[in-house]
Amino acid sequence: MTAPALRPEHDPGRPPGRMGLRTRLLLAFAVLALVTTTITAGVLYWRARTAILQATQDAAATALTDRMKTLLPLSSLPPRSRQMEDLVEALTERGSAALVLFRGQQVAFGMHPDSVPDTLRTAVQSGRVVWQRVEWGDTPMLLVGTQLRLKAQPGLSVPSGLEVYLARNLSAERRSINELTWWAVAVGGVSLGLAAVLAWLAAAGVLRPVRELRQAARRLGEGDLSARVAVRGSDELAEVGRTFNSTARVLEHQVNELRRMEADARRFVADVSHELRTPLAAMTAVTDVLDEEAGRLPGDAGRAARLVSGETANLTQLVNDLIEVTRFDSGSAALALDDVDLAAVIRASLRSRGWVDEVEADLPEGITARVDPRRVDVIVANLVGNALRHGEPPVTVRLRADEAWVTVEVADNGPGLAEDVLPHVFDRFYKADTARTRSQGSGLGLAIAWENARLHRQGRRTGTLVADNRPEGGAVFTLTLPRSSDEPREGA
């Protein structure tokens, strides 16, 4: 048994900002579809665009070389202007523009010489058939150029200085490529949408058993040991469901057995405790007589009488503590609430036990709270008695309050609590022998005090009892109770 926090912890569930499994599956499918569609559409677009432009370029180069063959052989250089004009006219009949230069000088033209980039002219002068795509305003154009070479002798040709350029409009090809782009985007969008639908269906199929498993696990964690999941199919999720059901059955059987054994143990303790009350009452009457006669009995007889009297009182206290514990375990412990002055209750507790001169009390007047005065008396008696037995003077009791809570702090000046003792200080029957060698109690006092503190609650506010060490040395126990309570007034 450990001390609870001042306020109940809140189950945060899924951490903020974390995506659920359904969202992650949808995103994974979407990213996969997007990447696949983009790569496929991109490759197909690139191949189709290349094929369209290559076919256009080949057609333009073929048209240029075919028309150039009509010039051969040249009768003279420079060529006759009529011959060049016929060539330009033949080329431009195909919806293109042409330009003929001889040693850099314009011979015949259908376009301005400045329209030909210098890089293209340099490549043409090397004797190859070359092409280049350019923009004339908003119009895409393909420029193809070549230089006519003369055959000087068999197997040998020399540059003629005659350059021919053909400009072809690529607007139709651009429209085809733009249409291809639109279709690629449209197909990609449809594919992405289809992938999202398939992802949603797949996620729903996968998450349905996961959701059922989560709900069953939650019910199991809340104490419903009959929680099971419906098993469908024979896949991995079905195997997980079967494993969960098997584990839940074993857990249900074991918990039921533990509950039965615990109930038997509680009933046994309660029965034994109640059965012991009658002989203990008779023994207490006898010890009262022995206490009166112990002073007149000689030697060992007197010591034996006092020992029997003390142990009988300890046994009576132990039986009373066990009966109180059984009430907590069975849920029959209730509060007898009253609006009381806590300072008066604490002073009465100290005075009835003869601790007024041994304790330094800081108890402001006028601090009232709706509590069970008998249970507050039990808590204070256990804490102060524990400090007097195991700590060092001075032992102090301080009372403080705000609008919602009252706090009682009991501190001593002893060695304090060892770190390994703090988590168990409110456990039943726990004795820190290495830290408190003088301990002779049953180990139930602090556990009962902790239970009495928890009985006081208002809404979600629950009383607490916390143990700690002071920085300056010594143990300190802090009791915190709500100033009012929502519990009905009942007899304890």
Side-chain angles (χ1 to χ4, degrees):
M1 184 186 304
T2 57
L6 185 61
R7 292 172 176 80
E9 293 184 358
H10 173 67
D11 181 15
R14 192 171 66 224
R18 290 288 302 277
M19 294 185 295
L21 182 57
R22 181 190 300 275
T23 304
R24 293 201 298 271
L25 283 175
L26 289 175
L27 285 178
F29 271 87
V31 170
L32 179 61
L34 181 61
V35 172
T36 304
T37 303
T38 301
I39 293 176
T40 303
V43 171
L44 292 177
Y45 168 78
W46 176 75
R47 292 294 298 172
R49 178 177 179 274
T50 301
I52 291 173
L53 294 177
Q54 188 65 47
T56 303
Q57 293 159 190
D58 291 346
T62 301
L64 179 60
T65 54
D66 288 345
R67 290 301 175 180
M68 287 289 292
K69 291 178 181 178
T70 63
L71 296 176
L72 298 176
L74 292 175
S75 58
S76 63
L77 286 175
R80 294 191 303 271
S81 59
R82 181 60 185 172
Q83 192 176 16
M84 294 299 99
E85 289 173 0
D86 291 342
L87 175 61
V88 169
E89 184 179 355
L91 292 173
T92 54
E93 285 177 354
R94 300 175 179 271
S96 304
L99 173 68
V100 179
L101 301 178
F102 179 70
R103 295 177 181 176
Q105 300 298 319
Q106 180 176 329
V107 177
F109 64 93
M111 60 183 177
H112 197 277
D114 292 340
S115 301
V116 181
D118 293 338
T119 54
L120 182 62
R121 291 199 59 191
T122 302
V124 167
Q125 290 170 3
S126 66
R128 295 175 296 155
V129 178
V130 295
W131 57 267
Q132 182 177 348
R133 289 192 295 273
V134 297
E135 292 284 340
W136 288 358
D138 294 332
T139 304
M141 300 296 293
L142 174 66
L143 294 179
V144 181
T146 186
Q147 183 182 41
L148 184 63
R149 300 180 67 85
L150 297 177
K151 185 179 294 184
Q153 54 183 346
L156 179 62
S157 62
V158 295
S160 66
L162 185 64
E163 302 170 19
V164 180
Y165 298 93
L166 173 64
R168 176 155 184 187
N169 193 326
L170 294 180
S171 297
E173 286 75 6
R174 170 175 284 183
R175 286 191 295 271
S176 298
I177 292 173
N178 290 339
E179 184 179 355
L180 183 64
T181 303
W182 185 90
W183 277 106
V185 172
V187 171
V190 172
S191 300
L192 187 59
L194 181 60
V197 173
L198 294 177
W200 181 271
L201 296 176
V206 171
L207 292 180
R208 185 182 300 111
V210 174
R211 183 168 54 252
E212 293 175 356
L213 185 62
R214 181 189 62 188
Q215 294 171 351
R218 179 179 298 172
R219 289 170 51 200
L220 191 66
E222 293 173 350
D224 182 6
L225 300 179
S226 64
R228 300 291 186 274
V229 296
V231 179
R232 307 179 186 87
S234 58
D235 56 9
E236 289 80 358
L237 288 175
E239 185 62 28
V240 171
R242 280 190 286 270
T243 302
F244 175 85
N245 290 340
S246 176
T247 303
R249 282 192 294 270
V250 174
L251 181 63
E252 181 180 19
H253 174 73
Q254 293 179 346
V255 170
N256 288 335
E257 284 296 309
L258 289 174
R259 287 175 175 172
R260 182 186 62 78
M261 295 169 62
E262 184 180 15
D264 292 344
R266 289 176 178 173
R267 186 165 51 251
F268 173 77
V269 172
D271 293 344
V272 169
S273 300
H274 282 88
E275 290 297 326
L276 286 176
R277 299 188 78 174
T278 300
L280 279 175
M283 292 175 62
T284 301
V286 173
T287 57
D288 290 341
V289 176
L290 288 177
D291 287 338
E292 295 177 358
E293 299 296 330
R296 293 190 292 271
L297 293 176
D300 292 341
R303 287 192 294 273
R306 287 188 291 272
L307 177 62
V308 170
S309 178
E311 292 302 324
T312 301
N314 291 337
L315 181 59
T316 301
Q317 183 62 44
L318 174 61
V319 170
N320 290 334
D321 288 346
L322 288 174
I323 292 174
E324 188 73 1
V325 167
T326 59
R327 289 175 179 171
F328 289 129
D329 291 341
S330 63
S332 61
L335 295 174
L337 297 173
D338 196 6
D339 293 320
V340 298
D341 186 333
L342 283 177
V345 171
I346 296 173
R347 287 196 187 93
S349 178
L350 299 176
R351 185 169 50 251
S352 66
R353 293 166 177 83
W355 292 339
V356 174
D357 297 332
E358 300 180 60
V359 175
E360 296 181 1
D362 180 7
L363 306 173
E365 300 292 341
I367 297 179
T368 61
R370 186 167 180 79
V371 297
D372 185 333
R374 183 184 72 83
R375 295 190 182 277
V376 172
D377 172 75
V378 171
I379 297 172
V380 172
N382 274 293
L383 297 181
V384 175
N386 189 72
L388 291 173
R389 285 192 302 271
H390 307 299
E392 299 292 341
V395 175
T396 60
V397 179
R398 293 185 176 87
L399 174 63
R400 296 290 183 268
D402 57 24
E403 293 182 358
W405 302 89
V406 292
T407 302
V408 179
E409 186 180 277
V410 178
D412 62 61
N413 201 36
L417 298 167
E419 292 298 327
D420 59 334
V421 172
L422 283 173
H424 307 286
V425 70
F426 296 111
D427 291 354
R428 296 175 183 178
F429 300 106
Y430 181 79
K431 292 185 179 182
D433 294 335
T434 58
R436 300 192 169 184
T437 56
R438 292 185 290 168
S439 176
Q440 297 178 352
S442 64
L444 287 174
L446 292 178
I448 292 174
W450 186 79
E451 294 282 4
N452 280 323
R454 290 180 64 247
L455 279 179
H456 293 80
R457 58 175 59 90
Q458 178 187 14
R460 293 187 177 183
R461 295 184 300 168
T462 302
T464 61
L465 181 59
V466 179
D468 204 352
N469 290 315
R470 298 191 302 170
E472 61 270 24
V476 56
F477 289 80
T478 304
L479 169 67
T480 305
L481 301 176
R483 294 199 71 170
S484 60
S485 175
D486 59 356
E487 293 289 338
R489 295 188 63 178
E490 301 180 18

PDB file of all heavy atoms in Angstrom, residues 99-117:
ATOM      1  N   LEU A  99      16.210  29.841 -94.028  1.00  0.00           N
ATOM      2  CA  LEU A  99      17.235  30.870 -94.208  1.00  0.00           C
ATOM      3  C   LEU A  99      18.444  30.213 -94.848  1.00  0.00           C
ATOM      4  O   LEU A  99      18.853  29.127 -94.429  1.00  0.00           O
ATOM      5  CB  LEU A  99      17.627  31.490 -92.859  1.00  0.00           C
ATOM      6  CG  LEU A  99      18.800  32.474 -92.868  1.00  0.00           C
ATOM      7  CD1 LEU A  99      18.437  33.759 -93.628  1.00  0.00           C
ATOM      8  CD2 LEU A  99      19.224  32.795 -91.433  1.00  0.00           C
ATOM      9  N   VAL A 100      19.010  30.882 -95.879  1.00  0.00           N
ATOM     10  CA  VAL A 100      20.201  30.376 -96.552  1.00  0.00           C
ATOM     11  C   VAL A 100      21.275  31.440 -96.454  1.00  0.00           C
ATOM     12  O   VAL A 100      21.047  32.609 -96.830  1.00  0.00           O
ATOM     13  CB  VAL A 100      19.917  30.019 -98.031  1.00  0.00           C
ATOM     14  CG1 VAL A 100      21.194  29.520 -98.691  1.00  0.00           C
ATOM     15  CG2 VAL A 100      18.814  28.968 -98.123  1.00  0.00           C
ATOM     16  N   LEU A 101      22.456  31.052 -95.944  1.00  0.00           N
ATOM     17  CA  LEU A 101      23.596  31.955 -95.823  1.00  0.00           C
ATOM     18  C   LEU A 101      24.758  31.396 -96.607  1.00  0.00           C
ATOM     19  O   LEU A 101      24.956  30.159 -96.656  1.00  0.00           O
ATOM     20  CB  LEU A 101      24.002  32.122 -94.350  1.00  0.00           C
ATOM     21  CG  LEU A 101      22.950  32.662 -93.376  1.00  0.00           C
ATOM     22  CD1 LEU A 101      23.518  32.700 -91.974  1.00  0.00           C
ATOM     23  CD2 LEU A 101      22.473  34.042 -93.797  1.00  0.00           C
ATOM     24  N   PHE A 102      25.508  32.290 -97.240  1.00  0.00           N
ATOM     25  CA  PHE A 102      26.730  31.881 -97.920  1.00  0.00           C
ATOM     26  C   PHE A 102      27.873  32.695 -97.327  1.00  0.00           C
ATOM     27  O   PHE A 102      27.919  33.917 -97.480  1.00  0.00           O
ATOM     28  CB  PHE A 102      26.627  32.104 -99.437  1.00  0.00           C
ATOM     29  CG  PHE A 102      27.867  31.726-100.170  1.00  0.00           C
ATOM     30  CD1 PHE A 102      28.237  30.386-100.283  1.00  0.00           C
ATOM     31  CD2 PHE A 102      28.686  32.700-100.739  1.00  0.00           C
ATOM     32  CE1 PHE A 102      29.396  30.028-100.961  1.00  0.00           C
ATOM     33  CE2 PHE A 102      29.851  32.332-101.413  1.00  0.00           C
ATOM     34  CZ  PHE A 102      30.214  31.001-101.525  1.00  0.00           C
ATOM     35  N   ARG A 103      28.743  31.970 -96.612  1.00  0.00           N
ATOM     36  CA  ARG A 103      29.883  32.576 -95.936  1.00  0.00           C
ATOM     37  C   ARG A 103      29.439  33.755 -95.066  1.00  0.00           C
ATOM     38  O   ARG A 103      30.019  34.826 -95.061  1.00  0.00           O
ATOM     39  CB  ARG A 103      30.924  33.031 -96.951  1.00  0.00           C
ATOM     40  CG  ARG A 103      31.530  31.844 -97.698  1.00  0.00           C
ATOM     41  CD  ARG A 103      32.510  32.298 -98.759  1.00  0.00           C
ATOM     42  NE  ARG A 103      33.037  31.141 -99.461  1.00  0.00           N
ATOM     43  CZ  ARG A 103      33.882  31.217-100.510  1.00  0.00           C
ATOM     44  NH1 ARG A 103      34.238  32.434-100.950  1.00  0.00           N
ATOM     45  NH2 ARG A 103      34.315  30.117-101.096  1.00  0.00           N
ATOM     46  N   GLY A 104      28.332  33.469 -94.319  1.00  0.00           N
ATOM     47  CA  GLY A 104      27.831  34.457 -93.372  1.00  0.00           C
ATOM     48  C   GLY A 104      26.950  35.509 -93.974  1.00  0.00           C
ATOM     49  O   GLY A 104      26.366  36.327 -93.249  1.00  0.00           O
ATOM     50  N   GLN A 105      26.817  35.539 -95.286  1.00  0.00           N
ATOM     51  CA  GLN A 105      25.991  36.548 -95.932  1.00  0.00           C
ATOM     52  C   GLN A 105      24.661  35.917 -96.344  1.00  0.00           C
ATOM     53  O   GLN A 105      24.622  34.792 -96.849  1.00  0.00           O
ATOM     54  CB  GLN A 105      26.704  37.125 -97.162  1.00  0.00           C
ATOM     55  CG  GLN A 105      28.027  37.778 -96.847  1.00  0.00           C
ATOM     56  CD  GLN A 105      27.878  38.977 -95.919  1.00  0.00           C
ATOM     57  OE1 GLN A 105      26.942  39.770 -96.074  1.00  0.00           O
ATOM     58  NE2 GLN A 105      28.797  39.097 -94.967  1.00  0.00           N
ATOM     59  N   GLN A 106      23.605  36.678 -96.160  1.00  0.00           N
ATOM     60  CA  GLN A 106      22.280  36.182 -96.472  1.00  0.00           C
ATOM     61  C   GLN A 106      22.085  36.075 -97.979  1.00  0.00           C
ATOM     62  O   GLN A 106      22.347  37.003 -98.723  1.00  0.00           O
ATOM     63  CB  GLN A 106      21.234  37.134 -95.872  1.00  0.00           C
ATOM     64  CG  GLN A 106      19.797  36.694 -96.144  1.00  0.00           C
ATOM     65  CD  GLN A 106      18.803  37.602 -95.450  1.00  0.00           C
ATOM     66  OE1 GLN A 106      19.096  38.136 -94.405  1.00  0.00           O
ATOM     67  NE2 GLN A 106      17.671  37.780 -96.072  1.00  0.00           N
ATOM     68  N   VAL A 107      21.626  34.896 -98.439  1.00  0.00           N
ATOM     69  CA  VAL A 107      21.378  34.668 -99.855  1.00  0.00           C
ATOM     70  C   VAL A 107      19.878  34.635-100.123  1.00  0.00           C
ATOM     71  O   VAL A 107      19.378  35.262-101.051  1.00  0.00           O
ATOM     72  CB  VAL A 107      22.044  33.367-100.327  1.00  0.00           C
ATOM     73  CG1 VAL A 107      21.721  33.084-101.785  1.00  0.00           C
ATOM     74  CG2 VAL A 107      23.545  33.435-100.107  1.00  0.00           C
ATOM     75  N   ALA A 108      19.144  33.861 -99.322  1.00  0.00           N
ATOM     76  CA  ALA A 108      17.681  33.790 -99.446  1.00  0.00           C
ATOM     77  C   ALA A 108      17.131  33.587 -98.036  1.00  0.00           C
ATOM     78  O   ALA A 108      17.761  32.947 -97.196  1.00  0.00           O
ATOM     79  CB  ALA A 108      17.278  32.640-100.360  1.00  0.00           C
ATOM     80  N   PHE A 109      15.982  34.110 -97.798  1.00  0.00           N
ATOM     81  CA  PHE A 109      15.524  34.049 -96.404  1.00  0.00           C
ATOM     82  C   PHE A 109      14.005  33.975 -96.329  1.00  0.00           C
ATOM     83  O   PHE A 109      13.284  34.422 -97.211  1.00  0.00           O
ATOM     84  CB  PHE A 109      16.006  35.277 -95.631  1.00  0.00           C
ATOM     85  CG  PHE A 109      15.434  36.569 -96.121  1.00  0.00           C
ATOM     86  CD1 PHE A 109      14.273  37.086 -95.535  1.00  0.00           C
ATOM     87  CD2 PHE A 109      16.018  37.270 -97.170  1.00  0.00           C
ATOM     88  CE1 PHE A 109      13.743  38.281 -95.990  1.00  0.00           C
ATOM     89  CE2 PHE A 109      15.477  38.464 -97.618  1.00  0.00           C
ATOM     90  CZ  PHE A 109      14.343  38.987 -97.039  1.00  0.00           C
ATOM     91  N   GLY A 110      13.565  33.365 -95.238  1.00  0.00           N
ATOM     92  CA  GLY A 110      12.173  33.395 -94.803  1.00  0.00           C
ATOM     93  C   GLY A 110      12.133  33.770 -93.338  1.00  0.00           C
ATOM     94  O   GLY A 110      11.059  33.738 -92.712  1.00  0.00           O
ATOM     95  N   MET A 111      13.303  34.081 -92.743  1.00  0.00           N
ATOM     96  CA  MET A 111      13.388  34.538 -91.366  1.00  0.00           C
ATOM     97  C   MET A 111      14.643  35.378 -91.239  1.00  0.00           C
ATOM     98  O   MET A 111      15.533  35.339 -92.094  1.00  0.00           O
ATOM     99  CB  MET A 111      13.423  33.360 -90.395  1.00  0.00           C
ATOM    100  CG  MET A 111      14.604  32.416 -90.591  1.00  0.00           C
ATOM    101  SD  MET A 111      14.530  31.020 -89.486  1.00  0.00           S
ATOM    102  CE  MET A 111      15.969  30.076 -89.997  1.00  0.00           C
ATOM    103  N   HIS A 112      14.754  36.125 -90.176  1.00  0.00           N
ATOM    104  CA  HIS A 112      15.873  37.033 -89.989  1.00  0.00           C
ATOM    105  C   HIS A 112      17.099  36.261 -89.517  1.00  0.00           C
ATOM    106  O   HIS A 112      16.983  35.334 -88.687  1.00  0.00           O
ATOM    107  CB  HIS A 112      15.514  38.120 -88.982  1.00  0.00           C
ATOM    108  CG  HIS A 112      16.435  39.315 -89.036  1.00  0.00           C
ATOM    109  ND1 HIS A 112      17.646  39.331 -88.394  1.00  0.00           N
ATOM    110  CD2 HIS A 112      16.305  40.510 -89.676  1.00  0.00           C
ATOM    111  CE1 HIS A 112      18.243  40.491 -88.623  1.00  0.00           C
ATOM    112  NE2 HIS A 112      17.446  41.239 -89.413  1.00  0.00           N
ATOM    113  N   PRO A 113      18.291  36.606 -90.018  1.00  0.00           N
ATOM    114  CA  PRO A 113      19.499  35.875 -89.601  1.00  0.00           C
ATOM    115  C   PRO A 113      19.744  35.931 -88.098  1.00  0.00           C
ATOM    116  O   PRO A 113      20.321  34.993 -87.518  1.00  0.00           O
ATOM    117  CB  PRO A 113      20.613  36.577 -90.381  1.00  0.00           C
ATOM    118  CG  PRO A 113      19.920  37.186 -91.554  1.00  0.00           C
ATOM    119  CD  PRO A 113      18.566  37.574 -91.104  1.00  0.00           C
ATOM    120  N   ASP A 114      19.295  37.018 -87.418  1.00  0.00           N
ATOM    121  CA  ASP A 114      19.538  37.106 -85.974  1.00  0.00           C
ATOM    122  C   ASP A 114      18.713  36.111 -85.184  1.00  0.00           C
ATOM    123  O   ASP A 114      18.937  35.936 -83.976  1.00  0.00           O
ATOM    124  CB  ASP A 114      19.212  38.523 -85.490  1.00  0.00           C
ATOM    125  CG  ASP A 114      20.197  39.554 -86.045  1.00  0.00           C
ATOM    126  OD1 ASP A 114      21.294  39.129 -86.455  1.00  0.00           O
ATOM    127  OD2 ASP A 114      19.858  40.757 -86.049  1.00  0.00           O
ATOM    128  N   SER A 115      17.775  35.473 -85.873  1.00  0.00           N
ATOM    129  CA  SER A 115      16.965  34.478 -85.163  1.00  0.00           C
ATOM    130  C   SER A 115      17.737  33.187 -84.910  1.00  0.00           C
ATOM    131  O   SER A 115      17.280  32.329 -84.149  1.00  0.00           O
ATOM    132  CB  SER A 115      15.695  34.157 -85.968  1.00  0.00           C
ATOM    133  OG  SER A 115      14.924  35.325 -86.183  1.00  0.00           O
ATOM    134  N   VAL A 116      18.871  33.015 -85.552  1.00  0.00           N
ATOM    135  CA  VAL A 116      19.672  31.798 -85.395  1.00  0.00           C
ATOM    136  C   VAL A 116      20.705  32.033 -84.294  1.00  0.00           C
ATOM    137  O   VAL A 116      21.535  32.942 -84.411  1.00  0.00           O
ATOM    138  CB  VAL A 116      20.370  31.422 -86.703  1.00  0.00           C
ATOM    139  CG1 VAL A 116      21.182  30.141 -86.516  1.00  0.00           C
ATOM    140  CG2 VAL A 116      19.338  31.234 -87.813  1.00  0.00           C
ATOM    141  N   PRO A 117      20.685  31.256 -83.203  1.00  0.00           N
ATOM    142  CA  PRO A 117      21.660  31.444 -82.124  1.00  0.00           C
ATOM    143  C   PRO A 117      23.082  31.180 -82.615  1.00  0.00           C
ATOM    144  O   PRO A 117      23.319  30.364 -83.518  1.00  0.00           O
ATOM    145  CB  PRO A 117      21.234  30.427 -81.072  1.00  0.00           C
ATOM    146  CG  PRO A 117      19.820  30.097 -81.388  1.00  0.00           C
ATOM    147  CD  PRO A 117      19.700  30.206 -82.869  1.00  0.00           C
TER     148      PRO A 117
END
